[in-house]
């Protein structure tokens, strides 16, 4: 409900974790003799001052706008400015209440996909589930392949998304090949996550490690095989 507060607190928590880790590393380097005691104590004192400063100075960090989140996605950044503006004109901001399912069709019945801009979505499919936040693309594979959705998206919290209809996406993909390639990469990554998520050894990796591994992959055309 208050994204700016959430962003501020998450940033402070991350900063504290990094500083605590730095302090522990310096202390360990002192113990094993890599750093002289005086230099280590000076560095630890500096880190502790940073930690105290973080506690005293609570800075407010503005949450990114929905437009900011959409335009930082790889497939959007690859588009010329004029096409980005065209995409923003077609993107419709929607709200889904916590516990409700995210629809992959508009009220008029037109298929499309969502980009989460605020809140948490729970994605379920292939016998597993994962939680995703702002920047997550939902329903893209369904739109690109024209098939039944292989995943179900439920709003874990109140959820705001940009809904982009298939006809607008198809038109923009025809005008920008790099955008089209990036969208296929997003869809391929998501589909592979579900396909491999329950298979050994990938089921023991955790979502983040598996995601990083799959991100290095490429989507090839059938005539390249």
């Amino acid at each position: 409900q208050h994204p700016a507060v959430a962003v501020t607190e998450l940033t402070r928590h991350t900063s504290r974790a990094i500083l605590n880790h730095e302090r522990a590393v310096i202390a360990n380097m002192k113990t094993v003799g890599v750093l002289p005691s005086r230099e280590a104590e000076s560095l630890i004192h500096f880190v502790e001052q940073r930690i105290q400063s973080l506690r005293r100075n609570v800075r407010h960090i503005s949450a990114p706008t929905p437009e900011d989140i959409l335009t930082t996605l790889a497939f959007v950044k690859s588009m010329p400015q004029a096409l980005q503006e065209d995409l923003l004109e077609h993107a419709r901001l929607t709200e889904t209440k916590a516990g409700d399912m995210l629809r992959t069709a508009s009220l008029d019945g037109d298929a499309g996909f969502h980009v989460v801009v605020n809140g948490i979505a729970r994605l379920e499919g292939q016998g597993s589930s994962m939680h995703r936040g702002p920047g997550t693309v939902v329903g893209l594979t369904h739109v690109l392949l024209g098939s039944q959705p292989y995943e179900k998206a439920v709003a874990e919290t109140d959820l705001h998304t940009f809904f982009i209809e298939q006809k607008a996406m198809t038109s923009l993909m025809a005008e920008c090949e790099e955008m089209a390639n990036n969208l296929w990469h997003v869809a391929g990554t998501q589909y592979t996550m579900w396909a491999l998520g329950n298979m050994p050894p990938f089921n023991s990796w955790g979502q983040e490690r598996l995601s990083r591994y799959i991100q290095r992959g490429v989507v090839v055309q059938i005539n390249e095989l």
Side-chain angles (χ1 to χ4, degrees), residues 10-26 43 46-48 50-51 54:
L10 180 60
T11 303
R12 291 182 64 212
H13 176 77
T14 303
S15 299
R16 283 196 302 268
I18 292 172
L19 290 170
N20 286 329
H21 177 70
E22 286 182 351
R23 182 170 55 185
V25 169
I26 294 167
L43 288 172
F46 173 74
V47 171
E48 288 177 344
R50 296 283 302 278
I51 293 173
L54 185 65

Side-chain angles (χ1 to χ4, degrees), residues 98-168:
D100 290 347
M101 188 179 302
L102 202 60
R103 298 170 57 92
T104 53
S106 68
L107 295 177
D108 298 328
D110 294 320
F113 67 94
H114 294 266
V115 176
V116 177
V117 295
N118 185 30
I120 302 296
R122 185 176 74 253
L123 308 181
E124 302 175 348
Q126 303 293 322
S128 61
S129 66
M130 59 184 73
H131 291 81
R132 289 291 183 266
T136 300
V137 179
V138 180
L140 179 60
T141 307
H142 157 59
V143 172
L144 288 175
L145 298 179
S147 60
Q148 290 296 316
Y150 63 91
E151 63 183 7
K152 180 176 71 174
V154 179
E156 191 76 1
T157 65
D158 286 352
L159 197 65
H160 293 88
T161 69
F162 269 130
F163 181 75
I164 302 168
E165 292 186 357
Q166 181 178 19
K167 55 187 178 183

Side-chain angles (χ1 to χ4, degrees), residues 3-208:
V5 175
V7 170
T8 299
E9 185 56 32
L10 180 60
T11 303
R12 291 182 64 212
H13 176 77
T14 303
S15 299
R16 283 196 302 268
I18 292 172
L19 290 170
N20 286 329
H21 177 70
E22 286 182 351
R23 182 170 55 185
V25 169
I26 294 167
N28 182 63
M29 293 175 72
K30 174 186 173 183
T31 300
V32 300
V34 177
L35 277 178
S37 295
R38 181 174 297 181
E39 185 177 350
E41 289 169 2
S42 176
L43 288 172
I44 290 174
H45 177 69
F46 173 74
V47 171
E48 288 177 344
Q49 284 183 321
R50 296 283 302 278
I51 293 173
Q52 291 173 7
S53 175
L54 185 65
R55 290 171 180 164
R56 288 193 303 266
N57 303 322
V58 180
R59 298 180 180 178
H60 179 78
I61 302 173
S62 299
T65 65
E67 291 76 14
D68 289 338
I69 292 173
L70 181 62
T71 54
T72 55
L73 298 181
F75 77 86
V76 180
K77 288 195 295 184
S78 65
M79 302 168 65
Q81 186 63 36
L83 289 184
Q84 289 188 26
E85 293 172 359
D86 195 13
L87 175 66
L88 284 169
E89 288 183 7
H90 286 92
R92 187 171 71 254
L93 199 59
T94 67
E95 180 179 5
T96 304
K97 293 297 184 182
D100 290 347
M101 188 179 302
L102 202 60
R103 298 170 57 92
T104 53
S106 68
L107 295 177
D108 298 328
D110 294 320
F113 67 94
H114 294 266
V115 176
V116 177
V117 295
N118 185 30
I120 302 296
R122 185 176 74 253
L123 308 181
E124 302 175 348
Q126 303 293 322
S128 61
S129 66
M130 59 184 73
H131 291 81
R132 289 291 183 266
T136 300
V137 179
V138 180
L140 179 60
T141 307
H142 157 59
V143 172
L144 288 175
L145 298 179
S147 60
Q148 290 296 316
Y150 63 91
E151 63 183 7
K152 180 176 71 174
V154 179
E156 191 76 1
T157 65
D158 286 352
L159 197 65
H160 293 88
T161 69
F162 269 130
F163 181 75
I164 302 168
E165 292 186 357
Q166 181 178 19
K167 55 187 178 183
M169 180 196 70
T170 303
S171 174
L172 291 169
M173 288 175 69
E175 294 187 59
C176 183
E177 183 179 358
E178 189 173 357
M179 174 213 179
N181 292 337
N182 277 314
L183 280 175
W184 277 108
H185 187 267
V186 171
T189 298
Q190 292 180 339
Y191 187 84
T192 307
M193 281 285 292
W194 290 114
L196 299 182
N198 289 324
M199 297 174 57
F202 308 109
N203 55 356
S204 64
W205 283 14
Q207 294 178 9
E208 293 305 320

Side-chain angles (χ1 to χ4, degrees), residues 207-225:
Q207 294 178 9
E208 293 305 320
R209 180 185 175 189
L210 179 58
S211 178
R212 289 195 301 269
Y213 175 75
I214 294 172
Q215 285 289 342
R216 297 197 298 266
V218 296
V219 177
V220 298
Q221 298 180 5
I222 295 299
N223 58 13
E224 295 179 358
L225 295 176

